[in-house]
Each structure stands twice: as structure tokens, then as C-alpha cells.
């Protein structure tokens, strides 16, 4: 079966582009509200250390995202993507998110994810968000 999440070993640049696309999908409010799509993107052993310090497993993060209030797609901007293929089947993705909150203030986080190629598709197995104080340079 072929899906948007499928990839083959050794794709190199194709895997890099796909991984950025998958990360961006996870920022999309429609994907965040879709438990089936989230379950396909997240590995069964998934763990997240949230920017709040909370720790989530796959079930917990799917439930937390389903409870989020909908926000405009433009409200969460991802930038400064860096993708490192650590092996043919493991990749590290880092980037910064900027989210506008009430009053025009920005909430910035440095994000890192580990993706694994399992069963012919990339799945996120780990994610961490770290708050960035104002004035810290991106890049």
C-alpha cells in the first residue's frame, strides 16, 4: 500500500523533503484534529516532552491534540528546518515554531523530532519542544 507517509530506504534528498513535509503536516490544525492521520504519523513507541514539561505517549498526544481549539493555519509558523539523516532509517529534524498569541505577542519554541522508517513509512518516535525566551536568535 502506498501512502503520503511511504518512503524507501536510501532516498536521501527525497527523504529530507518528505520529513519536512510530515513535520509541517503535524502543525496543520486539520491533521492535529484527525486521530487516524495522527496514528499513522506517530510510532507506537512515541514519546513527547512538551514545551510545558509534560510527557506524553502516543495515546496522550492524540487526545491532547484532539482537545485543542482550532486556530488559523497561519497562526503557527515553522522555520529554520534542519534535517539530518542519522542512518538509512533514522532522522533528526529540528526547527523553530512561532505562534502568535493574544495581544500580538509571540510564543517561540525550538523543536526536535526523531523519525524512524518502519514498515516502509516514516513515523515520529520522539518529539521535544523547548520554550525560547524573547531575544534568542533563530538559527
Amino acid at each position: 500500500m502506498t501512502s503520503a507517509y511511504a518512503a524507501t530506504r536510501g532516498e536521501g534528498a527525497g527523504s529530507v523533503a518528505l520529513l519536512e513535509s510530515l513535520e509541517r503536516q503535524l502543525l496543520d490544525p486539520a491533521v492535529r484534529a484527525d486521530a487516524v492521520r495522527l496514528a499513522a504519523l506517530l510510532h507506537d513507541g512515541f514519546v513527547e516532552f512538551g514545551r510545558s514539561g509534560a510527557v506524553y505517549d502516543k495515546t496522550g498526544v492524540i487526545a491532547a491534540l484532539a482537545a485543542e481549539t482550532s486556530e488559523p493555519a497561519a497562526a503557527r509558523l515553522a522555520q529554520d528546518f534542519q534535517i539530518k539523516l542519522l542512518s538509512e532509517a533514522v532522522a533528526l529534524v529540528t526547527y523553530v515554531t512561532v505562534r502568535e498569541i493574544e495581544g500580538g505577542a509571540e510564543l517561540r519554541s525550538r523543536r526536535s523530532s526523531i523519525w524512524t522508517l518502519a514498515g516502509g513509512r516514516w513515523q515520529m518516535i520522539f518529539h521535544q519542544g523547548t520554550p525560547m525566551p524573547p531575544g534568542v536568535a533563530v538559527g
Side-chain angles (χ1 to χ4, degrees):
M1 178 169 99
T2 311
S3 75
Y5 315 115
T8 57
R9 293 182 188 274
E11 269 189 353
S15 290
V16 168
L18 178 61
L19 288 162
E20 181 174 339
S21 172
L22 294 173
E23 284 281 359
R24 288 184 184 280
Q25 286 179 40
L26 286 168
L27 297 173
D28 181 331
V31 174
R32 294 168 77 85
D34 186 336
V36 173
R37 287 177 72 187
L38 288 172
L41 286 165
L42 302 178
H43 190 277
D44 286 343
F46 175 81
V47 174
E48 176 177 346
F49 297 156
R51 74 177 308 282
S52 67
V55 179
Y56 302 94
D57 63 7
K58 180 177 181 175
T59 303
V61 82
I62 289 172
L65 292 177
E68 276 186 345
T69 58
S70 182
E71 60 187 43
R76 192 176 303 229
L77 173 71
Q79 60 191 38
D80 195 33
F81 274 86
Q82 303 292 317
I83 300 170
K84 295 181 176 133
L85 296 175
L86 303 176
S87 74
E88 289 182 347
V90 178
L92 172 64
V93 179
T94 60
Y95 59 101
V96 172
T97 56
V98 180
R99 195 169 94 199
E100 191 174 309
I101 56 176
E102 282 187 41
E106 289 184 342
L107 190 61
R108 299 184 317 152
S109 298
R110 209 171 280 287
R111 306 230 170 232
S112 59
S113 304
I114 297 176
W115 290 79
T116 184
L117 188 59
R121 66 181 175 183
W122 285 103
Q123 291 184 300
M124 184 186 287
I125 195 163
F126 176 80
H127 183 77
Q128 180 169 350
T130 304
M132 291 177 64
V136 172
V138 174

